[in-house]
């Protein structure tokens, strides 16, 4: 049934695409014009009708005040975050914006938020898919850059909702690209995803374990891509025209646009042929013609290509890896069609990159694969589980302006954790919950995500109320915080939708600062992770005991498992992570045969080759075990 289709969408800075699973392989759904790529451009025409994609592009020059492009750069960001962008892009912001308010962009007489503009692009993709399937399409998986923060992800989800799409999952672009190449089937290894698009460069290092992708490092340059190459070529053409034809067309928008079109065509031709011809008609019956060899092209564009090297090296360093440790290299983005770019990437990682799929389609194809997995797709893909991690720790402010972390940085998501707090003052009826993001000890050094009050707590002596604070990060990385006073049942909650995001620099700084605390962080994390793992295996075991395989074990085996189960339960809450680990390992060993029997019984094919704690038979990542606070226990 057409309405059951879940499509995969690459919502790109320059171009967007929609794809679906055609039997075994993902395929891009073309638009009415037969083209796969929908330029991420939105315009208002003379009749105030909204145009999207190729039809909108001509308005870029004709009525720029009624046209918006590169809106992805503003998604989930605030006025403070985008000052740098404004130097690069002619975004026209609403005049009456208040600090902290969601951005609005002027288009014609009206203003629109970035999610509203992105929603227009999504709507076009939805229409293309509906035309293709001949029925409604309401569910989608949308990709986002791996470095997108909460606010940017939330804004992307909002765009989906505005477009009438139920966004089942946001997937990281590099993860999607790897899925498109079926790298998950390799089970283990390190994947480098090199993405050079129209205006952005991203390098991501992914760790693949048991078919699960984890982003271990990202880097890049938010202002580097094919546009830079175009601009270099345009500059040369303008110089030529001034020198040879004694004509200055720099201020002639129409002429510059023609030159742009011609150089892009030449650039694309040069990716597959040794030379290309520029031929542009100019005002006054003038004509600019020039032959460009690939050699000359490579020389001119070399600085752009070279600028991708340092971020790659930094990402490797952050991941603690040498180039030789990269097992797979995936190319993403239209600009990686340039042979010289491929060469550089190959030299850098010492691996021949994957190039079988179109680099500007591969992310959408991977989104379709993920959509298929979520839709219950095929037998093989059904068992796959995709993981991401939170880039920064999340917590709340406690007495003394101290940060109390609730979910630690690099926790796999979805994740949840609960901690208990109480009041500071006798008779306190309002409790302020201040949600923070960051690695630092003091609240003022972290980023404030949201504040809300838990009201109506019955007056009690300080220390009496028992306030449960629950953090939940869903599979899309969006945070939900709730607080509940357990004695009275009073409750308050907030979905953290910060109106703006962090600048790249801020994230970088926050991480840099956190390195000073890395050692301490690490120890604490060991304890938490060990506890969580213990939780998972104990839960998985509880389920296993209900399986018929349990009865197939000998009574000795069952007794041994139950002894180890109790032993693990006894150390689980302690701070000695080595003891917890030992308990986990012992239980793992003892349950190996149970896992095998369960596997044989075909009840849980997902157990294949794994011990129970890896199967996700328990609630898996959701089973986050909170750091226990001593006050009430
Ligand atoms: P984004 O991810 O930023 O939305 P894409 O992956 O679609 O962008 O890449 C768009 C860029 O790729 C543009 O700069 C375009 O000119 C460039 N491009 C597309 N095809 C080729 C090609 N054959 N050779 C060189 N550059 C190309
Ligand atoms: Mg892209």
């Amino acid at each position: 049934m057409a309405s059951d289709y879940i499509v995969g969408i690459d919502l790109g800075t320059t171009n967007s695409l929609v794809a679906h699973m055609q039997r075994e392989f993902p395929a891009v759904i073309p638009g009415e014009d037969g083209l796969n790529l929908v330029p991420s451009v939105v315009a208002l025409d003379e009749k105030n009708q909204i145009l999207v994609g190729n039809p909108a592009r001509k308005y870029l020059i004709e009525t720029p005040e009624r046209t918006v492009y590169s809106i992805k750069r503003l998604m989930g960001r605030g006025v403070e975050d985008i000052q740098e962008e404004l130097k690069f892009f002619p975004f026209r912001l609403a005049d009456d914006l208040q600090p902290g308010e969601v951005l609005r962009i002027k288009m014609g007489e009206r203003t629109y938020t970035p999610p509203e503009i992105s929603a227009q692009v999504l709507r076009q993709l939805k229409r293309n898919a509906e035309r293709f399937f001949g029925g409604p399409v309401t569910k989608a998986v949308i990709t986002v850059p791996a470095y997108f923060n909460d606010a940017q992800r939330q804004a992307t989800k909002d765009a989906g909702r505005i477009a009438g799409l139920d966004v089942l999952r946001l997937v990281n672009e590099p993860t999607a690209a790897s899925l498109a190449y079926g790298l998950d089937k390799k089970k283990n290894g390190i994947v480098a995803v090199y993405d050079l698009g129209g205006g952005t460069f991203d390098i991501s290092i992914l760790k693949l374990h048991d078919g699960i992708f984890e982003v271990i490092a990202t880097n890049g340059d938010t202002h580097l891509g094919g546009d830079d190459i175009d601009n270099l070529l345009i500059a040369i053409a303008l110089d030529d025209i001034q020198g040879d034809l004694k004509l200055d067309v720099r201020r002639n928008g129409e002429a510059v646009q023609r030159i742009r079109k011609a150089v892009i065509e030449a650039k694309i031709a040069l990716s597959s042929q040794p030379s290309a011809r520029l031929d542009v008609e100019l005002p006054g019956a003038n004509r600019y013609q020039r032959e460009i060899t690939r050699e000359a092209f490579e020389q001119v564009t070399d600085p752009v290509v070279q600028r991708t090297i340092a971020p790659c090296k930094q990402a490797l360093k952050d991941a603690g890896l040498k180039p030789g440790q990269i097992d797979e290299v995936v190319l993403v983005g239209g600009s990686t069609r340039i042979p010289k770019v491929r060469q550089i990437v190959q030299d850098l990682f010492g691996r021949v990159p994957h190039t079988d799929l179109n680099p500007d389609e591969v992310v959408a194809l991977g989104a379709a694969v993920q959509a298929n997995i979520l839709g219950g797709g095929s037998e093989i893909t059904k068992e796959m589980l995709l993981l991401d991690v939170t880039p920064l720790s999340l917590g709340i402010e406690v007495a003394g302006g101290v940060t109390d972390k609730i979910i630690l940085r690099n926790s796999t998501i979805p994740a949840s954790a609960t901690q208990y707090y109480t009041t500071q003052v006798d008779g306190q009826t309002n409790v302020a919950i201040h949600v923070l993001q960051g690695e630092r000890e003091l609240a003022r050094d972290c980023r404030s995500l949201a504040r809300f009050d838990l009201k109506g707590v019955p007056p009690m002596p300080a220390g009496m109320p028992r306030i449960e604070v629950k953090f939940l990060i869903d599979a899309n990385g969006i945070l939900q915080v709730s607080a509940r006073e357990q004695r009275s049942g009073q409750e308050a909650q907030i979905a953290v939708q910060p109106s703006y995001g962090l600048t790249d620099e801020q994230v970088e700084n926050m991480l840099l600062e956190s390195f000073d605390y890395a050692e301490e962080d690490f120890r604490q994390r060991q304890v938490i992770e060990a506890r969580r793992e213990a939780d998972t295996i104990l839960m998985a075991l509880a389920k296993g005991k209900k399986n018929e395989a349990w009865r197939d074990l000998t009574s000795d085996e069952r007794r041994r498992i139950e002894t180890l189960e109790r032993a693990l339960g006894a150390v689980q809450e302690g701070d000695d992570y080595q003891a917890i680990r030992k308990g986990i390992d012992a239980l793992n060993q003892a349950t190996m045969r149970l896992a095998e029997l369960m596997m044989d019984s075909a009840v849980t094919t997902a157990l294949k080759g794994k011990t129970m704690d890896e199967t996700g038979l328990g609630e898996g990542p959701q089973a986050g075990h909170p750091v226990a606070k001593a006050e009430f226990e």
Side-chain angles (χ1 to χ4, degrees):
M1 244 178 67
S3 58
D4 279 349
Y5 278 113
I6 308 174
V7 292
I9 290 176
D10 171 6
L11 187 59
T13 309
T14 318
N15 295 303
S16 298
L17 306 88
V18 57
H20 78 123
M21 205 69 174
Q22 205 158 42
R23 294 209 190 85
E24 280 160 82
F25 299 103
V28 177
I29 298 171
E32 210 165 359
D33 52 8
L35 301 174
N36 282 353
L37 299 184
V38 173
S40 307
V41 182
V42 176
L44 282 178
D45 72 4
E46 302 76 14
K47 293 181 230 126
N48 274 334
Q49 303 266 37
I50 287 186
L51 298 175
V52 178
N54 282 310
R57 275 177 64 170
K58 69 170 190 162
Y59 291 90
L60 279 174
I61 330 139
E62 288 175 13
T63 48
E65 71 287 353
R66 297 165 69 82
T67 317
V68 178
Y69 65 101
S70 282
I71 193 66
K72 188 173 179 178
R73 296 178 178 280
L74 302 191
M75 290 289 274
R77 310 187 85 187
V79 190
E80 304 87 331
D81 301 327
I82 60 156
Q83 292 312 310
E84 194 62 21
E85 290 296 344
L86 295 178
K87 290 183 203 150
F88 288 91
F89 287 89
F91 291 114
R92 293 169 314 279
L93 304 184
D95 308 313
D96 55 348
L97 284 180
Q98 303 301 316
E101 196 189 352
V102 178
L103 281 182
R104 275 175 294 115
I105 316 295
K106 272 193 266 186
M107 190 161 62
E109 289 88 58
R110 269 198 58 189
T111 63
Y112 300 83
T113 62
E116 284 176 302
I117 293 167
S118 285
Q120 295 298 342
V121 176
L122 290 173
R123 236 179 234 140
Q124 182 62 47
L125 298 171
K126 183 175 186 275
R127 274 197 294 269
N128 290 353
E130 289 176 337
R131 186 180 143 271
F132 179 85
F133 291 125
V137 172
T138 55
K139 296 190 179 108
V141 167
I142 302 180
T143 58
V144 289
Y147 60 79
F148 255 28
N149 63 25
D150 276 353
Q152 292 168 300
R153 285 167 197 263
Q154 182 65 53
T156 306
K157 272 203 110 179
D158 290 346
R161 218 180 41 231
I162 296 166
L165 287 169
D166 184 8
V167 182
L168 301 185
R169 180 75 64 97
L170 298 177
V171 183
N172 288 328
E173 288 164 12
T175 302
S178 305
L179 277 177
Y181 275 110
L183 296 182
D184 48 296
K185 310 228 167 60
K186 281 201 53 184
K187 293 285 175 198
N188 291 297
I190 305 285
V191 185
V193 181
Y194 179 105
D195 181 349
L196 190 61
T200 56
F201 170 61
D202 298 314
I203 176 74
S204 313
I205 312 282
L206 309 182
K207 187 169 164 194
L208 176 62
H209 43 94
D210 299 319
I212 293 165
F213 292 99
E214 189 183 329
V215 179
I216 54 175
T218 65
N219 211 297
D221 188 330
T222 49
H223 292 284
L224 180 61
D227 297 345
D228 297 292
I229 291 175
D230 304 345
N231 290 336
L232 283 173
L233 296 174
I234 292 168
I236 291 174
L238 288 171
D239 277 352
D240 277 357
I241 291 167
Q242 186 149 43
D244 302 348
L245 304 174
K246 304 281 173 268
L247 206 63
D248 187 356
V249 292
R250 264 161 239 272
R251 274 172 225 298
N252 183 332
E254 165 86 36
V256 173
Q257 199 53 30
R258 279 200 191 154
I259 296 167
R260 182 179 297 277
K261 194 160 169 275
V263 301
I264 292 174
E265 277 165 12
K267 170 182 83 169
I268 289 173
L270 284 167
S271 286
S272 56
Q273 56 195 56
S275 73
R277 198 162 177 75
L278 275 179
D279 190 345
V280 192
E281 281 184 37
L282 294 170
N286 282 299
R287 191 157 182 181
Y288 170 60
Q289 287 181 299
R290 185 189 164 136
E291 186 82 14
I292 314 177
T293 62
R294 191 183 276 175
E295 207 184 353
F297 173 79
E298 286 177 358
Q299 215 162 20
V300 173
T301 55
D302 191 56
V304 172
V305 181
Q306 294 294 333
R307 275 173 62 197
T308 66
I309 294 177
C312 291
K313 292 195 167 153
Q314 188 58 46
L316 279 171
K317 204 170 151 207
D318 290 347
L321 295 170
K322 297 257 172 305
Q325 290 172 281
I326 302 291
D327 301 300
E328 308 280 342
V329 179
V330 173
L331 290 182
V332 179
S335 302
T336 63
R337 281 212 172 88
I338 298 171
K340 184 68 198 238
V341 172
R342 296 191 171 184
Q343 190 57 51
I344 294 252
V345 177
Q346 184 167 335
D347 293 348
L348 200 61
F349 295 104
R351 289 253 165 242
V352 181
H354 288 277
T355 53
D356 293 344
L357 300 174
N358 285 332
D360 37 18
E361 296 180 356
V362 62
V363 167
L365 296 175
V369 172
Q370 174 71 74
N372 190 50
I373 294 168
L374 290 177
S378 66
E379 276 307 305
I380 337 146
T381 50
K382 213 187 277 182
E383 296 152 14
M384 285 175 29
L385 183 73
L386 294 178
L387 285 185
D388 272 320
V389 296
T390 60
L392 298 167
S393 300
L394 297 161
I396 63 169
E397 178 172 348
V398 293
V402 173
T403 314
D404 201 35
K405 289 176 193 164
I406 297 183
I407 293 180
L408 292 184
R409 180 164 90 85
N410 280 341
S411 297
T412 52
I413 58 172
S416 74
T418 306
Q419 288 213 29
Y420 295 94
Y421 302 91
T422 189
T423 49
Q424 293 297 314
V425 186
D426 285 341
Q428 192 178 334
T429 56
N430 266 2
V431 182
I433 306 286
H434 185 195
V435 184
L436 302 166
Q437 182 181 44
E439 308 312 313
R440 301 296 303 276
E441 290 301 315
L442 294 180
R444 61 156 195 263
D445 296 327
C446 287
R447 175 172 184 242
S448 167
L449 284 185
R451 287 172 193 272
F452 68 101
D453 278 348
L454 173 61
K455 292 184 183 141
V457 175
M460 282 183 254
M464 270 300 283
R466 184 183 164 98
I467 299 157
E468 178 193 71
V469 175
K470 197 180 275 175
F471 272 47
L472 188 143
I473 312 179
D474 68 15
N476 304 309
I478 289 159
L479 174 67
Q480 177 98 32
V481 179
S482 62
R484 193 182 131 90
E485 201 289 302
Q486 293 193 311
R487 295 179 209 280
S488 62
Q490 280 297 332
E491 228 175 322
Q493 56 195 26
I494 196 166
V496 178
Q497 305 181 344
S499 52
Y500 56 87
L502 292 174
T503 65
D504 300 343
E505 261 163 31
Q506 277 173 306
V507 170
E508 215 164 279
N509 284 339
M510 288 168 104
L511 285 176
L512 272 180
E513 283 168 353
S514 77
F515 288 158
D516 302 339
Y517 300 86
E519 211 170 306
E520 188 188 319
D521 263 10
F522 181 74
R523 240 196 55 76
Q524 228 185 338
R525 226 172 68 203
Q526 291 293 321
V527 178
I528 290 172
E529 279 173 4
R531 285 178 183 171
R532 190 185 330 172
E533 237 174 82
D535 230 29
T536 308
I537 188 173
L538 288 172
M539 264 202 285
L541 178 58
K543 279 200 183 172
K545 281 169 141 184
K546 294 195 192 109
N547 191 285
E548 59 188 34
W550 177 248
R551 276 174 277 127
D552 294 339
L553 296 178
T554 64
S555 58
D556 263 3
E557 283 174 316
R558 284 199 298 262
R559 206 170 313 129
R560 183 165 159 67
I561 290 174
E562 289 188 320
T563 308
L564 291 167
E565 183 186 16
R566 276 192 300 275
L568 178 57
V571 293
Q572 190 193 4
E573 297 298 321
D575 280 333
D576 184 351
Y577 69 86
Q578 276 152 336
I580 305 174
R581 287 246 167 255
K582 258 203 198 139
I584 292 170
D585 288 345
L587 193 54
N588 251 334
Q589 281 296 326
T591 53
M592 204 88 91
R593 209 171 85 81
L594 174 64
E596 274 163 23
L597 286 172
M598 286 170 74
M599 183 168 60
D600 290 344
S601 74
V603 178
T604 51
T605 44
L607 279 162
K608 216 174 212 94
K610 297 173 192 171
T611 47
M612 289 196 57
D613 66 333
E614 294 171 311
T615 60
L617 268 186
E619 293 312 304
Q622 278 99 330
H625 202 91
V627 180
K629 289 232 135 182
E631 289 100 311
F632 302 105
E633 263 74 33

